[in-house]
Amino acid sequence: MGRKVILATCSLNQWALDFDGNLERILRSIEKAKSVGAKYRLGPELEICGYGCADHFYESDTLLHCFQVLRKLLESPVTQDIICDVGMPIMHHNVRYNCRVMFLNRKILLIRPKMLLANYGNNREFRWFSPWNKLRHVEEYFLPRMIQDVTGEDTVPFGDCVLSTKDTCIGSEICAELWNSRSPHVDMGLDGVEIFTNSSASYHELRKADHRVNLVKSATTKSGGIYMFANQKGCDGDRLYYDGCAMVAINGDIVAQGTQFSLDEVVRTSLTASHLGPACWLWDYLRRSGQAGFLLPLSGGVDSSSTACIVYSMCVLVCQAVRDGNSQVLEDVQRVVSDVSYTPVDPRELCGRVFTTCYMASENSSEGTRNRARDLAAQVGSSHMSLNIDIAVKAMLGIFSMVTGKWPQFSANGGSTRENLALQNVQARIRMILAYLFAQLNQWALGKPGGLLVLGSANVDESLTGYFTKYDCSSADINPIGGISKTDLKSFLQYCAEQFQLTALKSIMAAPPTAELEPLADGQVSQTDESDMGMTYSELSVIGRLRKISKCGPYSMFCKLIHTWREALSPLQVAAKVKHFFKMYSVNRHKMTTVTPSYHAESYGPDDNRFDLRPFLYNTRWSWQFRAIDDQVGIQHRGHILIFHFPQPAWEFSDEARP
């Protein structure tokens, strides 16, 4: 007969370099594990320091403080009589490794370094760590004196090995090792390991969670055994949101799973519940920034409305967490609103305290967008303002005219392309200035403390083509939708309309996307985004995935699309769209160097920070590449000679500004 074993895995909302907070959360997770009788507790990757320390990993301070935290863990009575498996960086023979440290009753049993590093997407682990390449090899690691004083050990095993007990055998994997085609668990299973563990810092990406679950299930489908998965959760300091979802699989079946998104700082495995990740990311950012709320330029379009709905979703989560007895969330929200007696009950009332929306009209704004913005603000409960920017626009143009003696005109009034773009851009940039002015002083004007974080609302497809003005009202402190496609945003608004009864969203989704930066025609919108961009948002999503995920340049993208779009477009039309996209992309790539930090959600995002490392100064003619496309089009048309004419590329395109 076998003996029963109780194992615990968890998701922790760690914060990079928050050693006090990280220690407290680790101890709480161990207490919870022991309270259910667990004899082994698994935590997330690099949980002592936080995963997102980036170049702080180079600092000796980071390594020192990690060992100081480890000492406190070893000394704590909470960690007694349970095998604790924690993550931290360790220097061995002057080489820095990403490690797991396993200890029991003040004795370190094993230090297991990561063997397969993540070096793709947002991950740059080779920048800070080296992989352990000595398979099935163990060396002696000399412990720092502060640890020796607690454990009484001079050296401990360091390397690729497993942990045997009287009853079973435990083998470790670390994050990316599960995703590798030669995962360590394969050989460990053949060697008799029965319990496989994985400590991860796996960030959220749309449609990624299902892949992760399948990997965990498959790890024990063929050889049997138990697979435990722990994950970081929350925003630990940058654009990423780690989405938790700790789980346990037995013989290929998921038997326990934690929440993917929640406001709890310590999560044990339980039944899963889902909410949109950016709402949790916003809450972490707000409570850790020390600000009093958010300000959003709200236009009544899909993008800014999506941002507003994410804030409302955040308020729904906060109220639910408080109702569920989460004392940390209650303490945080009381600090945000500067009222220690406040208890949030209604999400709309909470929105009124922490969320300000502002409709910034110009002479080019329609009554329809004004009404849609007003109606949505009323339904989510935000503190809403409506103002007109024309006086500021005329003042700026007056300064220019006073110096040059010229007054630019829109194309509709006989102006040139340069004049038309400049007039659109000045409106967009004035909105950005006003957004920051109100964010800094609105609370002061109301007699309340603190400032507001400015929220952006440019989607990932606009970033791809540069369809926004540099330093316009898309420029903000953070942008929760910057990594989400227009298609997914519409699906999200449909969900919000049904889930939260936000009926104003129906008219917003039905309206054509427009920047409203050019003069109206008989009171009606004359400018649409898709017309300006020369392609639809659905086409942009396809192009974006080919560019980033499939790693296509202009020629290979054309070769794929003539088959993908063969039912709708001719090779000549496909060639025109591909050329137009790469001209827009290369002309506007410089904007991504200053774009607002955005929540990472989409695998084809063009974020210049870490995810999409490419030049920002291009030869926008793409002469060799486009000539290759022309040759292929000629082949498709049996040698017909084709000549393409494109307008002279402008350095900036107008944005989907938020009036």
Side-chain angles (χ1 to χ4, degrees), residues 254-358:
I254 302 294
V255 296
Q257 188 170 344
T259 55
Q260 187 179 14
F261 306 114
S262 79
L263 303 188
D264 294 331
E265 293 200 322
V266 178
V267 180
R268 289 188 294 118
T269 55
S270 62
L271 293 177
T272 186
S274 294
H275 294 276
L276 191 70
C280 300
W281 183 74
L282 277 184
W283 175 244
D284 274 353
Y285 205 101
L286 175 61
R287 69 194 182 98
R288 289 171 171 173
S289 68
Q291 299 301 301
F294 301 113
L295 182 138
L296 171 68
L298 180 63
S299 74
V302 166
D303 293 337
S304 61
S305 298
S306 297
T307 299
C309 287
I310 290 171
V311 176
Y312 181 73
S313 299
M314 181 200 79
C315 292
V316 170
L317 287 173
V318 169
C319 291
Q320 182 62 52
V322 171
R323 282 196 295 272
D324 292 342
N326 190 317
S327 59
Q328 182 63 58
V329 171
L330 178 59
E331 179 184 327
D332 287 334
V333 76
Q334 289 173 343
R335 186 173 61 254
V336 168
V337 302
S338 299
D339 184 353
V340 295
S341 65
Y342 176 63
T343 299
V345 176
D346 177 31
R348 288 173 176 80
E349 188 273 336
L350 177 57
C351 257
R353 288 177 177 251
V354 301
F355 188 31
T356 300
T357 52
C358 184

Side-chain angles (χ1 to χ4, degrees), residues 438-492:
F438 276 90
Q440 288 181 304
L441 292 180
N442 193 60
Q443 295 292 97
W444 167 78
L446 296 172
K448 298 179 180 179
L452 304 176
L453 291 165
V454 179
L455 295 181
S457 50
N459 63 60
V460 70
D461 300 319
E462 291 172 345
S463 296
L464 266 177
T465 57
Y467 187 63
F468 61 92
T469 300
K470 202 174 187 179
Y471 306 118
D472 73 336
C473 60
S474 294
S475 300
D477 293 311
I478 50 175
N479 179 6
I481 70 164
I484 306 176
S485 72
K486 194 85 161 187
T487 303
D488 286 326
L489 289 175
K490 288 182 177 179
S491 299
F492 169 62

Side-chain angles (χ1 to χ4, degrees), residues 94-106:
N94 292 321
V95 179
R96 194 180 300 104
Y97 295 98
N98 176 347
C99 295
R100 303 302 303 170
V101 179
M102 286 168 260
F103 60 90
L104 171 66
N105 294 337
R106 299 195 175 199

